[in-house]
Amino acid sequence: MNDNFKTNKRISMLQQLLINDCEQTVMINGDDRSNPLLLFLHGGPGTPQIGYARKYQKKLEEHFTVVNWDQRGAGLSYSKDIPESSMTLDQLTADTIHLTERLCKQFGRQKVYIAGYSWGSVLALHVLQKRSDLYYAYIGISQVVNIQKEEAEAYRQLTAWSRERKHRLLQKTLDFIGAPPWDGQVQRSLFLLCIEMKGGGFTHNPIGALKAGGRMLFGEPYGVRGSFLAARGQMFSLKHLWEDLIFFDAGKSVSSIEIPCCFMSGKFDLTVPGTTSYEYYQKVEAPYKEWHWFENSAHSPHLEEPDRFAEVVSRFASFHL
């Protein structure tokens, strides 16, 4: 355990933990260690946020002890020695449960809150199907429901917008790609570029994505070496987890969640259009559920509107301890 900064209440640490025979990196921060624990599952697959998370979660740390975790094969948890056979959704589910149990023991808690962002929302739903008893409530950010349906909806919205605005470059690129489903990653990569052109990608304002990337590349604890590992880890994770993601269908496999849920999407999101997430929110059965639109965000409302995100999550959590 590397405890970089500690007072009687505040906690700030970076840990290397052995989770199911694989060394993985966990960052824990909060203003008061007696606050509830919030485990954050990052997106991707393989897109960690330890490198820039602290900048955006200051308000969140007033209410929670926030746990950011580089999942197996991602970021500072990437290693060329990780068995490829272990890179499965089932294994990451087991890792999440193991980490949660470790956190409960370390902090003397019975349960934690769990937040899943994009790919992390897929992982979270799998975890909750197995061990919902470990969690007070679930926060679904840019909730993935069915990637194939989401790509089709995003293509429809982009095509309609480009024709309405007579955006020739976007129109020609979309015509060249053709409507999904696609056989390879080339079309998908071009499509993601189109989404960024429209402001529906990682952040609605492209400056936001550049700032996050800059903090990751030039700040602690990543820096150049950590950013290089993150790039390697993202390719590694996508290669082995993509099928788990592309064939996931929450509507069919997760019709109910046994704990309270809070879902949120950015109004401009075209990576995972909020309309599909909202349809799932309406249908899924849960003891309590609520929905929030973030009017100034695309795919990353927790980064684009961090103060509002902290307010929504802390208010939601206060009812479900």
Side-chain angles (χ1 to χ4, degrees), residues 145-180:
V145 179
N146 180 312
I147 286 291
Q148 297 181 59
K149 288 181 180 179
E150 286 152 359
E151 288 179 338
E153 173 60 16
Y155 186 89
R156 184 194 68 76
Q157 290 187 33
L158 268 178
T159 301
W161 184 86
S162 66
R163 288 173 179 167
E164 179 185 332
R165 300 296 178 91
K166 295 182 172 55
H167 195 302
R168 292 183 180 180
L169 177 58
L170 191 55
Q171 275 185 281
K172 288 182 177 180
T173 307
L174 291 169
D175 289 342
F176 173 76
I177 297 169

Side-chain angles (χ1 to χ4, degrees), residues 23-49:
E23 277 205 357
Q24 300 179 44
T25 300
V26 176
M27 183 176 73
I28 305 174
N29 302 96
D31 287 356
D32 187 338
R33 63 179 59 231
S34 66
N35 281 337
L37 287 164
L38 171 62
L39 174 59
F40 206 112
L41 305 184
H42 65 67
T47 309
Q49 61 180 43

Side-chain angles (χ1 to χ4, degrees), residues 6-23:
K6 187 187 292 185
T7 66
N8 290 333
K9 290 188 174 182
R10 182 157 180 74
I11 183 168
S12 181
M13 64 169 63
L14 192 69
Q15 295 178 283
Q16 287 282 344
L17 299 179
L18 190 64
I19 300 174
N20 293 324
D21 299 319
C22 177
E23 277 205 357

Side-chain angles (χ1 to χ4, degrees), residues 10 14 53 89 101 117 145 154 171 184 200 209 219 226-227 234 250 279 283:
R10 182 157 180 74
L14 192 69
L89 182 54
E101 291 174 333
Y117 164 55
V145 179
Q171 275 185 281
S227 297
Q234 186 171 38
E279 287 176 8
K283 293 177 182 177

Side-chain angles (χ1 to χ4, degrees), residues 9-11 28-38 58-67 107 109 111-113 136 321:
K9 290 188 174 182
R10 182 157 180 74
I11 183 168
I28 305 174
N29 302 96
D31 287 356
D32 187 338
R33 63 179 59 231
S34 66
N35 281 337
L37 287 164
L38 171 62
K58 290 178 181 177
K59 283 287 184 182
L60 200 61
E61 290 177 17
E62 294 178 6
H63 305 280
F64 298 92
T65 296
V66 185
V67 182
F107 286 87
R109 309 296 171 81
K111 299 182 181 185
V112 309
Y113 288 92
Y136 289 116
L321 271 174

Side-chain angles (χ1 to χ4, degrees), residues 88-107:
T88 65
L89 182 54
D90 284 343
Q91 181 61 66
L92 267 68
T93 299
D95 288 353
T96 309
I97 292 169
H98 179 105
L99 174 59
T100 303
E101 291 174 333
R102 290 273 295 264
L103 290 167
C104 287
K105 184 177 181 181
Q106 181 178 346
F107 286 87

Side-chain angles (χ1 to χ4, degrees), residues 278-310:
Y278 185 70
E279 287 176 8
Y280 177 70
Y281 154 77
Q282 289 181 305
K283 293 177 182 177
V284 70
E285 295 181 5
Y288 174 86
K289 58 184 181 179
E290 61 185 50
W291 175 270
H292 297 273
W293 285 110
F294 279 65
E295 301 290 338
N296 301 307
S297 298
H299 191 52
S300 308
H302 60 300
L303 306 179
E304 299 175 86
E305 299 178 64
D307 288 354
R308 179 165 183 245
F309 175 75

Side-chain angles (χ1 to χ4, degrees), residues 44 147-152 155 158 173-174 176-196 238 242-243 245-247 271:
I147 286 291
Q148 297 181 59
K149 288 181 180 179
E150 286 152 359
E151 288 179 338
Y155 186 89
L158 268 178
T173 307
L174 291 169
F176 173 76
I177 297 169
W182 302 299
D183 294 329
Q185 288 293 345
V186 174
Q187 295 102 317
R188 186 168 282 106
S189 296
L190 286 171
F191 185 60
L192 290 175
L193 181 61
C194 291
I195 286 175
E196 292 294 341
L238 278 171
W242 179 250
E243 283 200 7
L245 176 59
I246 196 68
F247 292 116
T271 306

